[in-house]
Amino acid sequence: MSETDKKWAARAKRWAVLFGIPLIMLLVGMWQWSRAGTSVDVQATIAAYEQVVQELKAIEETSPRGRATVKDSEGRSVDARLMRSRYERALAELKAGGLNVTTRNLQPTLAGCTMAFSVLALLWSAFGVFYQSAMGKKAMQSREQLLATFEKGRKLLPTYMVVMVLLLFAAAIPLLVYEMMPILRHNRYSKGDMKFMLVLGGLALFLLFSGCKVLWDVWKASRKAMENEPIEVMGQALAREKAPELWAFVDRVAAKTGAGMPDSIVVGLNEGFFVTEHPVRLSNGSMVPSGRVLYLPLPYMAFLNAAEVASVIGHELGHFIGEDTLYSQRFSPIYAATINHLVAISGGEKHEESWMDFLRRPATLFGEMFLDSFHEAVRFWGRKRELAADAVGASVVGPQAVASSLLRITALEPHVSEALEMNWDQGQTVEGGIVGHVRQLVASKGMADPSQHLENRQSHPTDTHPELAVRLDALGVPITPELLGRAMDSQGSRLLQEFGLEQGAAPAAATGSTMAGSVAPAPVVDVNAALQSELTSVAASARAAKIAELQEIAALGREQTVIYERSWFQTGLFVFFTVVCVTGAAFLFNSRNGQLYGVGVLLAGLACAYFAFLFSRDGKEPALVLAPEGVQMFKAQELLPWSAIDDFQFTQANHMLTITLPLEQGVVPPALGVGRRRGQYVKKKHRMVLMLKGVKKMKNDAFAELMVDYWRAFHARRELQRMGVQP
């Protein structure tokens, strides 16, 4: 399926929900309308009933011994006295008036309300889809239109979603109240009637309360200030006097691009190169002064030459020319505000799934569609601006240097990620810290082949970059052996020493690029060492907290747990059917011409007895064995490892618990040794499906939690081992 087909399929599913739910309620309302009929003319009905009663009395008087019969509406013969008694009771009810008449007259009104609000919800859905489509097309015209359109949409979205929820609630409340009307007309209420009325009335009141709560939650969400959350980075802000060579280098690049200078330069050990005007918080808790911030990662700079670094900085400063950072800063609040409204509509941050989500879903789904449309437009313009920024970088040192930097960063990225992961998770550092570790990895493993990663996008904390192949194509630079050779050259550079960011004497000669230059001897400071010390401290604290959490999880599934099915309900049910069938067969055998039917009923009883035996046997054999390494299912000879299970799905219905286990790719499922009524492997979806008749001595929810705990404990032990800790 192509990307376009997938897109339309996803859109069709959303439309099915958006229009399907109000359509279902409309159909229910129409069904109720057909049952309600029209309002009753009480006096005319009383007169008609009195006439029928008189006619029935006359029929009784003319019949010998009062055994007269009459035909009912279905053509069946009914005793005239019984029919007269029915009409007299109905006549008494009509003469009493009050609730009887009121409930009858309310039914068409209630059904009409359900239909009216359902139709309004359908029209509201159509209006929303049309408006959003027009908004998306307008956003593709320019970034100014994008911001203006979606800022307007952000303000209208809460109102739209609230109206959608209220329309559906307004349709559902009369739908529920309608079903109470026939019960209210009874002369005497049974316990079942009372329970049903309480349920319906409680649901209607709960819907009314939920509608008010939605209004309150959305009002609170709309009052939240739209703030840009700071970007968290591991780095240090360098003043000009602390790194004059670096600042002078950036000065020269900025002069060539015509872009303004950043207000702050931050160097760090993670992330990629980026510029931003978002608030930036350093790992030590201090905030970088507000304004334009340029972030430079030392592990990459240790391998890029001056021309390549200049091309990357030129690219980043190019974002200032198009005011990309300002646009990004304005985009974020729209996302945040929309998400706040979605959370409010869905029931709040502590919301748990319930049947109420059925009525909220069209509104939340529309909010998701709004976000997707906004994201698509932002990505469209973001990609254009990234290619424009590449052109700015090329204006500094030429497209060849830009292409070289892109490929070289791609070739380095796996080693940088590995060094950071080792430092964070295993607490392993080498001489020279992260930068030194990357140098060791490059020396021992060589650089990754960037030609194998042309579909990759470079990491960035605020924007989405186009694929590497797209960027190279836009630059007009083919991937030649010489370009790949440079990208995979394991030789590092001396820029960190030249810029005074790492201890070590800078070479006397220039680095081969006119961009390197020199303004003054770099001060003797080791920013790399200081950053590494800071990173090690933060990583040690994070590692200790993670280990403590993993050890707590790993302790959950240490022993085997044998699970038996709770099959007494099914066994008892089929035993009851067996007794009924055998008893019925005995009566049929003793009756005239009933022997043949008796044989059939007896065979049915034997079948029920067989099923009762099967269910009883199922409850005596272990259904599952939960072990630290995996789960043994029914009569399988081997465990299914926990590592083979991708996810869990538990559903309950009719005293049955169904467990669905999607499997990881390439896993060969074990043979279960039981029939399809208990478990099977669904090859098309690559998943195991197990059907249990409940669990002995345990509630289904507790069992589901236990099974997931074993799975989590297994993965926690593996993670601890990877971190070098004995589980």
Side-chain angles (χ1 to χ4, degrees), residues 698-709:
M698 191 181 302
K699 291 184 177 180
N700 289 342
D701 291 342
F703 163 72
E705 185 176 344
L706 177 66
M707 191 170 186
V708 173
D709 281 345

Side-chain angles (χ1 to χ4, degrees), residues 417-434:
S417 298
E418 182 178 346
L420 286 168
E421 184 178 302
M422 292 285 284
N423 196 101
W424 276 101
D425 291 344
Q426 300 186 14
Q428 296 183 7
T429 57
V430 300
E431 185 179 353
I434 297 297

Side-chain angles (χ1 to χ4, degrees), residues 239-356:
R240 185 177 287 271
E241 60 273 13
K242 192 173 183 180
E245 281 281 0
L246 177 61
W247 274 90
F249 184 84
V250 176
D251 280 336
R252 290 189 289 274
V253 174
K256 281 183 170 284
T257 63
M261 279 290 291
D263 299 300
S264 302
I265 295 179
V266 176
V267 296
L269 296 175
N270 56 353
E271 305 287 356
F273 296 84
F274 67 87
V275 289
T276 185
E277 293 188 58
H278 280 71
V280 176
R281 180 187 291 124
L282 303 180
S283 56
N284 60 15
S286 63
M287 295 293 296
V288 176
S290 60
R292 296 175 169 183
V293 178
L294 170 64
Y295 181 88
L296 305 173
L298 298 186
Y300 292 103
M301 290 179 66
F303 285 87
L304 300 179
N305 62 31
E308 290 163 343
V309 171
S311 73
V312 178
I313 293 176
H315 167 99
E316 299 302 338
L317 296 182
H319 287 301
F320 291 146
I321 297 175
E323 297 185 338
D324 303 334
T325 52
L326 282 175
Y327 278 100
S328 295
Q329 194 173 14
R330 293 170 65 185
F331 290 154
S332 297
I334 298 178
Y335 275 113
T338 304
I339 290 172
N340 286 339
H341 294 313
L342 280 173
V343 171
I345 290 290
S346 64
E349 295 178 355
K350 297 181 180 179
H351 167 70
E352 296 181 359
E353 291 186 3
S354 68
W355 65 272
M356 289 286 294

Side-chain angles (χ1 to χ4, degrees), residues 6 12 14 22 42 54 63 76 265 284 288 293 331 377 383 389 404 432 448 471 498 525 530 549 569 585 637 663:
K6 289 180 181 178
R14 287 177 167 179
V42 179
Q54 293 301 321
S63 173
R76 295 173 300 184
I265 295 179
N284 60 15
V288 176
V293 178
F331 290 154
R383 288 166 68 92
S404 177
R471 299 178 71 179
E498 288 185 22
V525 292
E549 182 182 359
F569 176 81
Q637 298 300 309
L663 303 180

Side-chain angles (χ1 to χ4, degrees), residues 353-463:
E353 291 186 3
S354 68
W355 65 272
M356 289 286 294
D357 293 333
F358 177 80
L359 297 179
R360 292 193 185 103
R361 186 55 183 152
T364 57
L365 185 61
F366 186 84
E368 293 169 10
M369 291 168 63
F370 173 85
L371 274 180
D372 287 349
S373 179
F374 179 53
H375 176 73
E376 184 177 349
V378 169
R379 187 167 180 266
F380 172 80
W381 290 110
R383 288 166 68 92
K384 280 185 171 294
R385 290 306 310 161
E386 287 299 329
L387 297 179
D390 280 343
V392 174
S395 71
V396 178
V397 286
Q400 197 75 18
V402 178
S404 177
S405 67
L406 292 174
L407 291 171
R408 195 153 175 78
I409 289 172
T410 302
L412 276 167
E413 193 165 7
H415 299 315
V416 175
S417 298
E418 182 178 346
L420 286 168
E421 184 178 302
M422 292 285 284
N423 196 101
W424 276 101
D425 291 344
Q426 300 186 14
Q428 296 183 7
T429 57
V430 300
E431 185 179 353
I434 297 297
V435 176
H437 198 166
V438 173
R439 287 173 176 143
Q440 285 191 8
L441 291 171
V442 170
S444 61
K445 298 182 178 181
M447 302 281 269
D449 184 356
S451 64
Q452 303 299 315
H453 304 279
L454 295 179
E455 298 304 314
N456 288 8
R457 300 185 179 96
Q458 291 185 5
S459 59
H460 193 283
T462 59
D463 295 304

